[in-house]
Amino acid sequence: MLPLIDAVTQEQVLRALDNGEIRLYYQPLYNFKTKQFETVEALLRWQHPTYGLLLPETFLMQLDAIGMSVIVGDWVLKHACEQFKAWVKKGVSLKRVAVNLNERQLREGDFVERVASFLKNNKMHGHQLELEITENIQIRETDVDIIDALTRLKAMGVHIALDDFGIGNSSINHIKHIPVDRIKIDKSYILNIKSQSGDASIVQGFIDLAKRYHLEVVVEGVETYPQLVLLLLNEGLTAQGHYFSLAIPAKDAGDFLRYYQQHPFPLIG
Ligand code: G
Ligand code: MN
């Protein structure tokens, strides 16, 4: 586990956004059915002058504590949409860009309108954006405002993914009352898979469950060929992980996508 960074001020965060220390990396997701990288997930990184390259888990709580999570969340949405548009303009064939949401963003009264304006400003269709909701955002059936916002987003064509599936205590409940398009099985399950371990059957159980609810499945954290073999046994999955690509800067992600539009991804070797 990385150390959490010390107290950070609003000014420092604004400056870091401004001077490019806080930036987006992108990780492509491979669809086994179409054999294409159809989605990229935008992932926040902070190239910190003192601490080096920081992953979001080391600073998101700090942002939240100083009331900056909505500002940074909106910044991510805006930049991911702009990047998507720039790729499309350059002829990269990409179905959608995925963005991680935080709970406060989702609870803002005008969130749906803000998403609509980011889409409009970048001439994007709703279906070209995926919003990932993490399992640790507790959404109850009584959270009518959130469920209403998600329902309106879905009506705009926006895809909704349930991130970190399986590690929260409400995974199954969530897929029952949130309008979800796909689940992303948490990487901890796949990282632990060794032959015949219980985790392989848990992953299979999640896949079967998703099928019953007609949801797409993304398996996260695929790093090795043996992990991939398990996934090849199921049809139509999408996979994400270091086996395919790390999260990489936008320029590299564009090159990667363009290359694999023309060449099959070598699943073996
Ligand atoms: O919670 P979420 O699924 O959005 O987290 C994505 C994080 O997981 C990113 O920081 C990304 O770099 C990391 N990640 C992506 N693929 C892999 C992988 O194959 N192995 C490991 N250990 N981490 C990964
Ligand atoms: Mn995610």
Side-chain angles (χ1 to χ4, degrees):
M1 192 63 193
L2 292 153
L4 295 176
I5 64 170
D6 292 335
V8 57
T9 64
Q10 292 190 349
E11 290 67 34
Q12 284 170 328
V13 174
L14 290 173
R15 206 174 324 125
L17 287 172
D18 217 38
N19 68 17
E21 278 175 31
I22 294 181
R23 58 185 81 151
L24 289 178
Y25 275 33
Y26 295 88
Q27 189 175 35
L29 279 68
Y30 182 81
N31 182 327
F32 281 98
K33 201 192 276 171
T34 59
K35 300 185 168 53
Q36 290 289 323
F37 291 92
E38 292 186 338
T39 316
V40 285
E41 179 176 357
L43 293 158
L44 202 52
R45 297 289 185 266
W46 188 344
Q47 185 64 54
H48 196 282
T50 315
Y51 300 102
L53 188 67
L54 296 175
L55 296 175
E57 43 272 40
T58 63
F59 60 87
L60 285 184
M61 272 165 60
Q62 286 282 357
L63 295 185
D64 209 42
I66 57 168
M68 289 296 282
S69 42
V70 173
I71 288 173
V72 174
D74 271 10
W75 182 93
V76 171
L77 258 172
K78 177 172 183 279
H79 283 78
C81 289
E82 287 173 1
Q83 185 59 62
F84 180 87
K85 181 186 168 194
W87 277 326
V88 170
K89 250 191 183 164
K90 286 185 191 152
V92 173
S93 85
L94 192 58
K95 265 191 147 171
R96 66 183 65 95
V97 63
V99 172
N100 295 280
L101 295 188
N102 64 62
E103 183 159 1
R104 282 185 206 277
Q105 267 177 303
L106 207 49
R107 292 193 187 280
E108 291 278 296
D110 61 347
F111 181 64
V112 178
E113 287 72 24
R114 290 220 293 270
V115 172
S117 78
F118 291 131
L119 291 173
K120 187 162 170 260
N121 292 344
N122 293 292
K123 298 188 174 61
M124 281 170 70
H125 297 291
H127 63 79
Q128 292 173 314
L129 178 66
E130 179 162 278
L131 299 176
E132 297 193 6
I133 298 166
T134 154
E135 270 284 297
N136 55 37
I137 303 181
Q138 292 279 331
I139 304 175
R140 298 190 180 77
E141 265 174 292
T142 49
D143 266 325
V144 283
D145 290 346
I146 289 196
I147 294 175
D148 176 59
L150 293 173
T151 307
R152 286 163 60 209
L153 288 162
K154 194 155 153 76
M156 287 158 49
V158 174
H159 272 230
I160 312 286
L162 210 48
D163 207 1
D164 310 323
F165 190 85
I167 55 166
N169 49 20
S170 49
S171 315
I172 295 174
N173 202 23
H174 273 161
I175 59 174
K176 273 169 48 190
H177 62 262
I178 302 177
V180 176
D181 292 284
R182 60 181 178 181
I183 62 166
K184 299 186 73 177
I185 299 175
D186 188 68
K187 54 184 170 297
S188 58
Y189 291 101
I190 202 84
L191 291 174
N192 290 334
I193 284 182
K194 299 187 185 76
S195 57
Q196 311 200 349
S197 81
D199 278 350
S201 44
I202 293 174
V203 170
Q204 190 60 54
F206 289 153
I207 294 170
D208 295 341
L209 178 74
K211 270 193 201 144
R212 294 185 72 135
Y213 283 89
H214 308 290
L215 302 174
E216 291 173 37
V217 177
V218 180
V219 182
E220 296 181 330
V222 179
E223 292 185 346
T224 66
Y225 188 70
Q227 293 167 339
L228 189 71
V229 169
L230 177 97
L231 306 178
L232 288 169
L233 298 173
N234 288 279
E235 273 176 37
L237 298 183
T238 292
Q240 177 174 6
H242 297 170
Y243 187 83
F244 298 94
S245 172
L246 304 175
I248 48 181
K251 160 95 178 61
D252 300 341
D255 293 345
F256 180 99
L257 293 167
R258 216 191 307 264
Y259 183 83
Y260 287 113
Q261 254 164 253
Q262 317 287 349
H263 305 83
F265 185 83
L267 284 178
I268 305 174

